């Protein structure tokens, strides 16, 4: 039944147009029907060629070619058994892939403070049987541990710390716990092999809170970080701050999305060790 409904939907989209008014109006009901027909176990889905089960209502956030160039870079380097942190996990686009790449002997920690996103992320972990290797840390990540203000907007990836996302008309203001990578590692007894950070302009704060971990894992820790210069002012930093941190830690930004200026353009970068 599930496959029949999907075939009919694909045919209708092809005939009418995927972004036509009527298809857009029917999409929420269609996605809810898919989830019901799946027995609330998620529908089959691929992200960059890897098979998963997902809640169909979040397909747009789990694209079949989700940041494919970055995923290819990581998949070639993350080894089975690796310990990986995903800072800003949202609904799990990278948590799922990291769990797939590290295999049953790996560990993945997804840091996500938005309660609505955590609910969806938890479901995706369960749909795929990743509970033994995935831990969800319901916290923001920053330069100090404690609590902070977050402006939440459903589970759409547009929630932010400090101020409301500028693309939204409204967002709910809540208080969420905040932890540093260093404090989490000490508490959990984990030493990450890879850390991914995508937290809407607050990446430098997370890196500062990982300074001891970076120093301890010098030369062996893999770091992939979003660079979002347009949001740095709201995080209270500028380019000189980022450049200073990289100089102090012996890191350099290597673009992963074809940027000409890895610290001046939006995109993801690999922070590689300068001496290597």
């Amino acid at each position: 039944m599930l496959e029949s409904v999907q075939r009919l939907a694909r045919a209708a989209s092809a005939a009418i147009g995927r972004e036509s008014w009527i298809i857009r109006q029917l999409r929420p009901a269609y996605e809810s029907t898919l989830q019901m027909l799946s027995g609330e176990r998620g529908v089959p889905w691929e992200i960059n060629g890897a098979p998963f089960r997902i809640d169909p209502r979040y397909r747009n956030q789990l694209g079949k070619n989700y940041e494919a160039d970055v995923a290819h870079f990581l998949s070639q380097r993350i080894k089975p058994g690796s310990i990986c942190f995903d800072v800003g996990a949202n609904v799990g686009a990278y948590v799922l892939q990291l769990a797939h790449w590290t295999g049953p002997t790996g560990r993945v920690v997804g840091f996500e403070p938005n309660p609505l996103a955590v609910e969806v992320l938890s479901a995706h972990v369960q749909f795929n049987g990743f509970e033994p290797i995935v831990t969800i840390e319901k916290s923001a990540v920053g330069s100090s541990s404690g609590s902070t203000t977050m402006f939440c907007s459903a589970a759409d990836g547009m929630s932010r710390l400090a101020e409301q996302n500028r693309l939204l008309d409204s967002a709910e203001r809540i208080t969420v716990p905040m932890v540093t990578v260093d404090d989490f590692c000490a508490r959990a007894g984990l030493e990450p092999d890879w850390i991914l950070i995508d937290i809407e302009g607050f990446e430098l704060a997370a890196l500062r809170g990982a300074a001891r971990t970076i120093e301890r894992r010098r030369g062996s820790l893999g770091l992939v970080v979003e660079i979002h210069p347009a949001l740095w002012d709201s995080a209270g930093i500028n380019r000189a701050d980022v450049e200073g941190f990289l100089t102090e830690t012996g890191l350099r930004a290597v673009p992963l999305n074809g940027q000409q200026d890895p610290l001046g353009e939006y995109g993801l970068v690999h922070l590689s060790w300068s001496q290597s």
Side-chain angles (χ1 to χ4, degrees), residues 134-158:
V134 173
T135 299
I136 300 173
E137 181 72 10
K138 303 173 186 177
S139 301
V141 175
S143 59
S144 62
S145 295
S147 62
T148 189
T149 298
M150 183 176 213
F151 291 83
C152 283
S153 167
D156 54 12
M158 299 184 74

Side-chain angles (χ1 to χ4, degrees), residues 35-170:
Q35 181 67 343
M36 180 187 68
L37 291 174
S38 75
E40 303 295 327
R41 296 183 298 108
V43 300
W45 190 255
E46 285 190 359
I47 304 175
N48 294 314
F52 302 106
R53 298 187 74 90
I54 68 163
D55 184 327
R57 292 170 293 187
Y58 298 91
R59 293 175 300 164
N60 286 343
Q61 290 164 248
L62 300 164
K64 293 194 173 185
N65 297 299
Y66 186 90
E67 295 180 354
D69 44 1
V70 179
H72 178 74
F73 173 87
L74 290 169
S75 69
Q76 298 298 303
R77 291 163 176 79
I78 293 178
K79 298 176 172 60
S82 295
I83 297 174
C84 303
F85 291 178
D86 183 9
V87 178
N90 194 239
V91 298
Y94 276 116
V95 164
L96 295 179
Q97 293 181 92
L98 291 170
H100 175 74
W101 296 327
T102 62
T105 60
R107 289 288 302 276
V108 177
V109 180
F111 295 83
E112 178 52 56
N114 180 350
L116 300 172
V118 165
E119 184 177 346
V120 181
L121 174 60
S122 299
H124 285 154
V125 170
Q126 293 168 11
F127 292 163
N128 293 280
F130 288 149
E131 298 100 315
I133 61 173
V134 173
T135 299
I136 300 173
E137 181 72 10
K138 303 173 186 177
S139 301
V141 175
S143 59
S144 62
S145 295
S147 62
T148 189
T149 298
M150 183 176 213
F151 291 83
C152 283
S153 167
D156 54 12
M158 299 184 74
S159 298
R160 291 198 75 240
L161 302 180
E163 71 170 19
Q164 179 179 305
N165 190 303
R166 298 166 187 176
L167 298 177
L168 296 175
D169 293 328
S170 64

